């Protein structure tokens, strides 16, 4: 009985330590090459203030804090998954179809957040959230 209790406690501690890790700081030089290359195409190394890595299931997510207030998240393959900046996300990070749609329908709106997963989401400075297909076709407005 005592062995079982000890085993349960050790297993619980192991699980907690694995899940409690959360985001860990990481140096640019220690990033996987695809991530490093993609980030350095978009940002100057001197503008990168802080980098964290977080393990999510079998994958890693890298978060970059940039001097201008931009927060960018990349997956382990160097693909941008999310970017946000309250002053506006630069158009170079947005698919052309989405940029054109927003300019046509909401010409004065500013994109403050862009997220790409199975679908693409754009949050605007007027608190509207637009949802697009992977190909950039408008789907709906979310509240």
């Amino acid at each position: 009985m005592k062995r079982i209790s000890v085993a349960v406690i050790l297993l619980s501690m192991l699980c907690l330590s694995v899940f409690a890790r959360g985001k860990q700081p990481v140096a640019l030089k220690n990033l996987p090459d695809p991530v490093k290359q993609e980030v350095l195409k978009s940002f100057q190394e001197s503008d990168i203030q802080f980098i964290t890595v977080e393990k999510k299931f079998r994958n890693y997510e890298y978060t970059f804090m940039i001097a201008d207030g931009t927060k960018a998240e990349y997956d382990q393959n160097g693909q941008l998954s999310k970017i946000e900046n309250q002053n506006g996300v630069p158009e170079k990070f947005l698919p052309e179809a989405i940029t054109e749609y927003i300019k046509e329908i909401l010409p004065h709106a500013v994109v403050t957040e862009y997220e790409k997963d199975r679908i693409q989401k754009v949050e605007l400075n007027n608190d509207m959230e637009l949802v697009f297909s992977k190909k950039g076709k408008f789907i709906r407005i979310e509240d």
Side-chain angles (χ1 to χ4, degrees):
M1 183 72 166
K2 189 174 182 180
R3 285 184 185 173
I4 293 174
S5 296
V6 170
V8 169
I9 290 171
L10 289 174
L11 184 60
S12 298
M13 289 174 56
L14 176 65
C15 288
L16 285 174
S17 69
V18 168
F19 291 110
R21 286 186 183 179
K23 292 186 177 190
Q24 301 291 318
V26 63
L28 183 64
K29 66 182 180 181
N30 295 331
L31 296 177
D33 284 337
V35 177
K36 189 182 331 178
Q37 290 170 2
E38 197 59 39
V39 167
L40 292 176
K41 283 183 196 175
S42 303
F43 304 107
Q44 296 292 322
E45 185 173 347
S46 60
D47 290 338
I48 299 171
Q49 294 184 324
F50 195 74
I51 307 168
T52 60
V53 60
E54 181 177 17
K55 186 167 184 169
K56 294 199 170 190
F57 301 104
R58 295 182 186 166
N59 301 314
Y60 289 90
E61 178 181 271
Y62 299 89
T63 302
F64 297 81
M65 295 303 298
I66 310 301
D68 68 355
T70 299
K71 178 181 176 184
E73 296 177 5
Y74 289 83
D75 67 16
Q76 63 195 23
N77 299 316
Q79 296 295 313
L80 180 70
S81 56
K82 185 176 182 179
I83 186 165
E84 56 187 272
N85 185 318
Q86 294 307 306
N87 298 317
V89 171
E91 285 184 10
K92 68 181 180 180
F93 293 104
L94 304 172
E96 187 176 343
I98 292 176
T99 301
E100 293 302 318
Y101 181 86
I102 293 170
K103 282 182 180 178
E104 181 182 329
I105 303 300
L106 302 159
H108 301 292
V110 175
V111 175
T112 57
E113 186 175 315
Y114 169 71
E115 186 172 359
K116 181 179 178 183
D117 194 16
R118 292 185 199 124
I119 56 173
Q120 300 179 83
K121 290 184 180 183
V122 173
E123 191 171 309
L124 305 174
N125 62 333
N126 60 7
D127 291 329
M128 287 182 75
E129 191 171 304
L130 308 177
V131 179
F132 296 86
S133 70
K134 268 195 163 181
K135 294 184 179 183
K137 183 174 169 127
F138 176 74
I139 298 174
R140 68 180 176 274
I141 296 174
E142 284 193 353
D143 295 331

